Amino acid sequence: MAQALGFDFGTTNTVMALANGASTRSLSFTSTAGTADSMRTALSFMKDPLAGASALKVEAGHAAIRQFIDHPGECRFLQSIKTFAASALFQGTLIFAKRQTFEDLMEIFLRRLKTYAGDNWPADITRIVTGRPVHFAGANPDAVLATERYNAALTRFGFPEIHFVYEPVAAAFYFAQHLQSDATVLVADFGGGTTDYSIIRFETSGGKLSATPVGHSGVGVAGDHFDYRMIDQIVSPQIGKGSLFKSFNKTLEVPSSWYANFGRWNQLSIFKTSKEFVALKKLVRDSLEPEKLETFVDLVDHDEGYPLYQAVSATKIALSSADEAEFNFAPLGDGGRKLIRRSDFENWISGDLERIEGALDDVLEKTNTSPSSIDKIFLTGGTSFVPAVRRIFTERFDHGRIESGGELLSIAHGLALIGERDDIQQWTA
């Protein structure tokens, strides 16, 4: 039987699933880091002299992270590749003197996954169904450009059919397999870079599930933004944000945009090769607090972005179940150990929470849907565990109607199931 491949290309994690009829299974990937059915959306590049002067050893996912940790000074590491998809400003990045476009990076990542899948990769794929957010991440995201880039990368694999489905729609379809009766479902999908909502009416007639899309909305705010707020409050002031430097007879503030790059560590490796980083290093001698900028330079030079990511993630997870948690980031010395209160964290992310709630209000208002007419609310994605996010829903919907689960699997498996349907055009974005 022909197979449909569901491809959940996430900001943080990527999952692929195969469907045969009504059943699905995740693809498993075996790399030097072991076997897993989800992969970090990350790439690492390192020169491989055994394979030739210009040859590169490329790893993806957990193997990329391991290669980066083992060879930090020799390795180029990229994470959260998806966040560049809708940016017209991103025209590529230099990796060992060769420019790689977004399409190149997506292709390289998927080819590594195909290699890691080995014999698990099916030879008879007729459709690949790829998820996309309702609204892409970024300051001025271009959804048409992002879809064109996705399509260009996937076309290089020769898939007979390429389809795109909103990620919350795929999650809703996965959830709907377990409905016991007809229902209007609100799905909230919290990714790393975006928060997306879909309202769908599911009905079953003659054993066949049908759906009527009611409405969608989204916003380019999610878990990565929460992480950035923590970095901006705890780390950035210690590495020079808000500090001053002398320029001729003027006293000026160090550009804050440099710290936005550092906070969103998926851009850190891009920043390391930029003119701005060269300017930062030159600015140290004119700084009124040079030791802070020296620390900034050291963190970038030593590729401390991923350890910082681990420290922030550990603190955020701990705050989901405790009123306070310790932030511990050794490269900052004593300044890298701080006790963080959940109340402070919620205050830092209050603006982001308002935008997330605003997108929920938007989909309810523009579809003229009252909270009482929603039968089920399905929350998916790791950020749904943040208590302040969950309160957005518990304060307006009955607790008994709220469900969660399948944080990593729901979208990929929903995409694969949609790929098996004859009415796939009804579901595509």
Side-chain angles (χ1 to χ4, degrees), residues 59-200:
E59 299 287 3
H62 300 87
I65 295 170
R66 174 169 291 184
Q67 179 169 271
F68 164 68
I69 291 172
D70 291 343
H71 308 276
E74 308 168 45
C75 183
R76 183 73 190 283
F77 181 72
L78 296 173
Q79 185 164 295
S80 302
I81 306 162
K82 180 179 177 179
T83 58
F84 303 122
S87 173
L89 296 176
F90 182 78
Q91 296 297 314
T93 184
L94 287 175
I95 298 176
F96 293 103
K98 182 179 180 181
R99 181 167 296 279
Q100 303 284 2
T101 64
F102 174 83
E103 296 91 320
D104 296 330
L105 295 173
M106 188 176 185
E107 178 192 4
I108 291 167
F109 179 72
L110 188 52
R111 287 202 185 280
R112 292 311 299 159
L113 264 58
K114 183 177 180 180
T115 299
Y116 296 157
D119 293 339
N120 289 318
W121 189 274
D124 56 349
I125 298 172
T126 56
R127 288 174 173 168
I128 183 168
V129 186
T130 303
R132 55 148 291 186
V134 176
H135 290 278
F136 281 88
N140 295 292
D142 185 336
V144 173
L145 174 64
T147 304
E148 289 174 350
R149 286 173 166 176
Y150 274 32
N151 193 68
L154 295 172
T155 297
R156 299 175 186 181
F157 289 83
F159 296 117
E161 296 180 28
I162 300 171
H163 299 273
F164 300 99
V165 171
Y166 288 134
E167 290 160 353
V169 170
F173 194 89
Y174 172 83
F175 175 69
Q177 307 306 303
H178 308 289
L179 290 174
Q180 300 299 312
S181 59
D182 296 349
T184 299
V185 177
L186 166 67
V187 172
D189 172 32
F190 300 97
T194 60
T195 295
D196 293 313
Y197 300 102
S198 283
I199 300 175
I200 300 177

Side-chain angles (χ1 to χ4, degrees), residues 240-314:
K241 185 174 183 180
S243 66
L244 305 173
F245 69 95
K246 289 285 187 180
S247 178
F248 298 102
N249 294 320
K250 296 181 179 180
T251 301
L252 304 173
E253 187 173 310
V254 173
S256 60
S257 60
W258 293 349
Y259 297 88
N261 282 319
F262 190 84
R264 301 187 69 173
W265 48 82
N266 57 297
Q267 298 179 14
L268 185 57
S269 60
I270 306 295
F271 179 63
K272 186 177 181 179
T273 62
S274 70
K275 295 178 181 177
E276 287 80 4
F277 186 51
V278 174
L280 167 62
K281 289 187 285 188
K282 290 180 179 178
L283 202 63
V284 172
R285 65 175 178 268
D286 299 319
S287 173
L288 300 187
E289 298 177 274
E291 69 285 352
K292 289 186 176 182
L293 293 190
E294 286 172 351
T295 301
F296 188 173
V297 171
D298 286 344
L299 294 180
V300 176
D301 270 337
H302 292 93
D303 295 305
E304 296 289 359
Y306 184 68
L308 177 58
Y309 163 81
Q310 291 179 303
V312 170
S313 293

Side-chain angles (χ1 to χ4, degrees), residues 44-56:
S44 66
F45 302 82
M46 189 173 71
K47 288 187 176 180
D48 186 0
L50 297 178
S54 61
L56 296 178

Side-chain angles (χ1 to χ4, degrees), residues 322-338:
D323 291 332
E324 56 184 28
E326 184 178 64
F327 172 77
N328 189 0
F329 182 53
L332 286 182
D334 292 340
R337 292 178 67 91
K338 291 185 180 293

Side-chain angles (χ1 to χ4, degrees), residues 1-21:
M1 180 182 292
Q3 292 183 308
L5 179 64
F7 180 29
D8 176 19
F9 181 57
T11 301
T12 306
N13 294 291
T14 291
V15 180
M16 305 188 81
L18 286 167
N20 259 315

